[in-house]
Amino acid sequence: MNTVDNLIDLLSLEETSKNVFQGVSKTVGSPNVFGGQVLAQALNAAARTINNGRVLHSMHAYFLEAGHLEVPINYNVADVRDGGSFSVRRVTAEQEGRTIFILSSSFHKREEGHEHQIEMPPNIKKPEELLSWTEMLEQFGDAIPSRTKTFLEIDRPIEFKPVEVVNPFNKEDLPPKTNVWFKIKGDIKPMDLAVKQQILTYISDYNILAAAMNRHASKAHWGNTQTASLDHSMWYFRDFDFDDWMLYAIESPNTSNARGFAKGNIFTREGKLVASVAQEGLMRPIKK
């Protein structure tokens, strides 16, 4: 899976009965189903039941059990409410009779109102000045730890360019933040806003816990820490296009009780704030 068309195919579910949809999975390098995939597929299911032109503005989800890559996922959508301005859908994802994930999403009719937004972080290097994951693998493959190298070798429909590159051999704690430029691969055709939001949600589960891990880099890394997404929330503010690089600016206010919390803002290159994200994830030290 290495183009946006592949990703759209993955996120486009089969409707098996009224308000019931089924999807398959593709690995991103983990033995379990990628959380971003389940988030985006659940939103695809929810959006398919919206027939009044309303636009997704927020979602909140919990990951209950790890998903199996080889088993189809069934998404059951409940029509919770269709009010005068908002429509709410609840999605339950199941595998072999087990509930692995739940999501609530809210859709709002288009309205005009007051506007403001925060600014993009200043003095961020442009993507043209940075190496992508693919370029890092090509240039430094032999020096990259084997677990990270295996992860980077997976074909993806998105290219990432981290602004701050963490050297795993420098055992020092870093600021609890990270900034990553991203761009989807392949020919970019016109897309409905709902599809763009689903793709953005898929991408939002990448990199976010890295900000929490950075603060403990002197002792914690992906090889000695069990990590998993526990919950994920997202708010969608403005329409956008994927025709240029976008910035995911992430910071982690807290880690405690074997959990890390991080929040992020997604901007266009021009500085338009498109969405905000919050996630708490498992960060459990692996005992030897």
Side-chain angles (χ1 to χ4, degrees):
M1 187 173 72
N2 57 14
T3 70
V4 65
D5 289 338
N6 299 149
L7 180 55
I8 291 173
D9 288 343
L10 178 69
L11 303 184
S12 301
L13 305 179
E14 175 189 0
E15 186 169 10
T16 56
S17 60
K18 181 175 173 57
N19 285 15
V20 179
F21 304 83
Q22 187 174 91
V24 297
S25 301
K26 296 289 185 181
T27 184
V28 299
S30 165
N32 302 315
V33 175
F34 176 49
Q37 175 202 299
V38 183
L39 289 164
Q41 287 181 334
L43 289 178
N44 179 269
R48 302 263 289 274
T49 70
I50 299 294
N51 300 309
N52 51 20
R54 293 176 180 178
V55 175
L56 177 68
H57 75 92
S58 70
M59 70 84 175
H60 308 276
Y62 283 94
F63 300 91
L64 306 180
E65 290 193 37
H68 296 295
L69 284 166
E70 305 303 322
V71 179
I73 304 175
N74 293 310
Y75 296 90
N76 300 280
V77 183
D79 295 347
V80 177
R81 182 174 185 269
D82 285 306
S85 300
F86 294 88
S87 294
V88 177
R89 299 292 184 265
R90 183 175 63 249
V91 183
T92 304
E94 298 179 350
Q95 276 188 322
E96 299 181 318
R98 298 178 302 111
T99 300
I100 64 169
F101 170 89
I102 54 176
L103 173 144
S104 293
S105 55
S106 182
F107 300 77
H108 184 203
K109 73 177 185 180
R110 298 179 185 272
E111 294 190 64
E112 296 295 326
H114 303 295
E115 279 209 25
H116 85 275
Q117 67 157 78
I118 62 171
E119 297 298 317
M120 181 187 289
N123 305 316
I124 295 289
K125 286 186 177 181
K126 303 302 181 186
E128 291 78 14
E129 304 174 63
L130 303 167
L131 293 178
S132 68
W133 284 4
T134 302
E135 291 165 336
M136 289 180 189
L137 182 64
E138 292 172 352
Q139 293 191 28
F140 309 112
D142 293 339
I144 297 173
S146 59
R147 182 180 175 123
T148 302
K149 183 178 180 182
T150 299
F151 175 78
L152 293 178
E153 288 174 336
I154 299 292
D155 284 335
R156 303 175 204 284
I158 311 106
E159 194 68 87
F160 295 100
K161 288 190 173 186
V163 178
E164 305 88 6
V165 179
V166 178
N167 185 339
F169 300 105
N170 288 346
K171 302 299 182 181
E172 60 177 331
D173 294 336
L174 302 168
K177 65 179 183 179
T178 188
N179 295 281
V180 183
W181 291 98
F182 64 87
K183 193 175 190 300
I184 59 176
K185 300 176 181 176
D187 294 331
I188 301 171
K189 302 171 185 176
M191 304 179 200
D192 291 340
L193 177 57
V195 174
K196 291 186 284 187
Q197 290 175 327
Q198 291 157 31
I199 293 173
L200 195 69
T201 303
Y202 177 91
I203 295 169
S204 73
D205 197 35
Y206 273 104
N207 298 294
I208 189 164
L209 276 186
M213 191 76 78
N214 283 354
R215 184 62 182 83
H216 308 276
S218 64
K219 52 186 176 295
H221 53 78
W222 303 107
N224 68 4
T225 308
Q226 182 184 357
T227 59
S229 303
L230 296 175
D231 58 34
H232 194 100
S233 295
M234 196 159 176
W235 298 263
Y236 309 82
F237 305 131
R238 296 171 177 88
D239 198 354
F240 64 97
D241 290 308
F242 281 117
D243 55 358
D244 199 355
W245 291 92
M246 301 178 74
L247 180 70
Y248 197 1
I250 307 166
E251 61 178 336
S252 174
N254 183 75
T255 55
S256 60
N257 302 293
R259 302 189 308 271
F261 173 71
K263 58 183 182 177
N265 294 304
I266 300 176
F267 299 88
T268 66
R269 187 198 281 260
E270 292 74 26
K272 180 169 68 173
L273 179 61
V274 169
S276 290
V277 185
Q279 183 182 103
E280 191 171 47
L282 183 68
M283 283 182 54
R284 178 182 291 150
I286 298 172
K287 297 179 181 178
K288 295 182 179 180

